[in-house]
């Protein structure tokens, strides 16, 4: 029971702390619509499933013991966030349809954005490692650990669905869409700064 409560508590805390995953969901929901936001949330949850899978497979232990490997993963994630941020900033000036739906934001594209944002997100990596290397133990049954992974991914998905529904309410979305150029560029800058911050912290932590 203590393990379960700890997993739930960690999931809540990690989900609500703003990061690149939050920025991408919010951006896609506001510009692409509710379905785009939900599919982005699904992509983020599926990516967390990837982190959970390698943690269960024992790869997480290897990563946690290898500073070079862990830093390499962080740098890959940082590079992707910078790329995503620059792309957002550069496309911010493009015209959008009157209803605010972003041209070309298909459900699959939204899912892909969410997946690749979180699969390279160091916060998600550290989250999975923290749970399976500290909360669980070798005595924890496999099915129990899988259940924890489902709770983690499901909790993150639920949180971002709630975020999507709130920010796609007509009144809320209308206020944001009046400042769509500013919003796109702000999200682009935010993701770029996330990436640069991760890269800097990675370099400073090297032996």
């Amino acid at each position: 029971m203590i393990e379960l409560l700890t997993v739930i508590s960690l999931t809540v805390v990690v989900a609500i702390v703003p990061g690149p995953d939050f920025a991408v969901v919010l951006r896609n929901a506001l510009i692409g619509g509710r379905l785009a936001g939900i599919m982005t949330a699904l992509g983020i949850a599926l990516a967390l499933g990837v982190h959970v899978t390698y943690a269960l497979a024992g790869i997480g232990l290897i990563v946690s013991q290898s500073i070079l490997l862990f830093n390499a993963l962080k740098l890959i994630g940082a590079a992707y966030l910078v790329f995503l941020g620059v792309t957002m900033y550069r496309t911010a000036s493009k015209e959008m349809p009157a209803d605010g739906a972003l041209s070309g934001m298909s459900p699959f594209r939204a899912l892909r954005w969410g997946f690749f944002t979180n699969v390279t997100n160091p916060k998600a990596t550290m989250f999975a490692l923290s749970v399976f290397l500290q909360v669980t133990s070798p005595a924890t049954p496999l099915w129990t650990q899988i259940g924890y992974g489902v709770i983690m991914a499901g909790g993150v998905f639920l949180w971002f669905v709630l975020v999507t529904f709130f920010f796609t309410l007509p009144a809320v979305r209308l206020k944001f869409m009046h400042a769509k150029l500013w919003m796109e560029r702000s999200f682009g800058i935010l993701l770029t700064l996330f990436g640069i911050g991760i890269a800097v912290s990675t370099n400073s932590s090297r032996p």
Side-chain angles (χ1 to χ4, degrees):
M1 181 60 69
I2 294 179
E3 285 185 357
L4 177 60
L5 292 176
T6 302
V7 170
I8 294 174
S9 300
L10 286 173
T11 300
V12 171
V13 171
V14 170
I16 64 177
V17 173
D21 45 6
F22 185 90
V24 169
V25 169
L26 187 56
R27 182 263 185 188
N28 286 357
L30 289 171
I31 298 174
R34 185 165 290 175
L35 178 59
I38 292 174
M39 293 303 292
T40 305
L42 179 59
I44 288 172
L46 291 175
L48 184 55
V50 173
H51 294 297
V52 169
T53 298
Y54 69 61
L56 284 173
I59 300 176
L61 180 60
I62 298 174
V63 173
S64 67
Q65 297 299 319
S66 174
I67 298 298
L68 290 178
L69 181 56
F70 186 69
N71 283 343
L73 292 176
K74 289 181 67 175
L75 287 175
I76 291 173
Y80 177 76
L81 293 179
V82 171
F83 167 77
L84 200 59
V86 172
T87 300
M88 280 188 188
Y89 187 89
R90 293 182 62 184
T91 59
S93 60
K94 292 185 178 180
E95 287 295 323
M96 297 179 190
D99 64 357
L102 182 64
S103 175
M105 180 58 72
S106 66
F108 177 74
R109 182 184 178 193
L111 185 145
R112 185 180 62 194
W113 272 51
F115 180 82
F116 283 108
T117 295
N118 215 37
V119 83
T120 58
N121 183 4
K123 185 181 80 169
T125 303
M126 295 174 69
F127 175 37
L129 293 180
S130 296
V131 170
F132 288 97
L133 295 179
Q134 298 178 37
V135 176
T136 64
S137 68
T140 305
L142 177 61
W143 286 109
T144 300
Q145 296 186 53
I146 293 175
Y148 290 161
V150 172
I151 291 173
M152 291 157 61
V156 168
F157 174 70
L158 178 60
W159 165 250
F160 285 123
V161 167
L162 293 175
V163 169
T164 294
F165 270 82
F166 175 75
F167 284 100
T168 52
L169 291 172
V172 177
R173 190 180 183 199
L174 183 61
K175 291 181 181 296
F176 277 91
M177 293 313 297
H178 281 314
K180 57 190 177 185
L181 177 61
W182 171 86
M183 181 182 67
E184 277 280 89
R185 288 183 172 174
S186 296
F187 284 144
I189 293 173
L190 182 63
L191 285 178
T192 302
L193 291 177
F194 272 128
I196 293 174
I198 292 169
V200 171
S201 65
T202 301
N203 286 328
S204 63
S205 65
R206 287 180 175 177

